[in-house]
Amino acid sequence: MISVPAGFPVEIVIFEVAGHCFGVRSTDVREIVRAATLSAAPQTHPAIQGILNLRGQVVAVYDLRNLLQIPETPLAHTDHLIVTHAGDHLLALRADRALELVRLPPDRIESAAGVVQNWNAVSGVAKIGDRLVLLVEPDQLWAHSGSMASAPVPPATGLEQASCE
């Protein structure tokens, strides 16, 4: 779960993947870039769609569709890559579109336990108006992809609550 000092707002970058709303803490985001041609990344976790040379740094690009067992689509020039810090690494989250940066009080974020099962890379659920936004933890995503390189990913459940519409 996202931890912040009591009373301090949390800034979250909201993005959409296949009609579902996700978010990541702004402090984890390095930058947001338009999609670019990816190089193949053989013998990596199936969620890694490819790798990107971002100003001399190699960045793994994750497609959340794979982890969530949503049908994959080809990378489009209108897609965004949300480049995040995961420990000492950079990784990019492929998004259909980056939507907004929101500031929320901590009491608008709840634990994801009991909402999204089988996927510990979702740490919380933010309540933003009528929307519920699943909060992705890049560190957990990186750890998950390293330890599960060839294992099948169990389907995540509870996604229907995180619609961006």
Side-chain angles (χ1 to χ4, degrees):
M1 171 93 167
I2 292 179
S3 61
V4 294
F8 285 89
V10 179
E11 287 188 337
I12 299 170
V13 174
I14 309 296
F15 59 98
E16 182 179 356
V17 176
H20 299 285
C21 254
F22 295 91
V24 64
R25 284 180 301 212
S26 64
T27 55
D28 288 336
V29 175
R30 175 177 162 181
E31 62 187 295
I32 299 173
V33 298
R34 286 282 186 188
T37 303
L38 303 179
S39 298
Q43 299 181 359
T44 59
H45 190 279
I48 298 176
Q49 187 170 11
I51 54 176
L52 174 71
N53 180 348
L54 184 65
R55 291 183 291 286
Q57 284 193 281
V58 176
V59 179
V61 177
Y62 286 72
D63 190 349
L64 297 180
R65 288 171 180 80
N66 181 283
L67 288 174
L68 302 168
Q69 299 189 354
I70 297 170
E72 294 182 38
T73 60
L75 188 67
H77 73 281
T78 55
D79 289 348
H80 290 105
L81 301 177
I82 301 169
V83 182
T84 66
H85 299 277
D88 295 334
H89 306 280
L90 289 178
L91 63 88
L93 303 171
R94 176 187 168 196
D96 296 337
R97 59 190 176 135
L99 297 173
E100 61 186 315
L101 175 68
V102 297
R103 206 172 211 194
L104 292 176
D107 64 352
R108 301 280 304 275
I109 300 171
E110 295 183 11
S111 169
V115 177
V116 178
Q117 288 83 38
N118 301 327
W119 199 40
N120 64 352
V122 172
S123 65
V125 180
K127 296 176 281 186
I128 303 171
D130 293 340
R131 293 183 293 172
L132 295 177
V133 177
L134 300 177
L135 302 177
V136 177
E137 289 291 332
D139 289 337
Q140 291 297 318
L141 188 57
W142 181 265
H144 172 80
S145 64
S147 64
M148 303 285 289
S150 60
V153 178
T157 58
L159 286 176
E160 59 281 352
Q161 298 179 21
S163 174
C164 262
E165 298 173 10

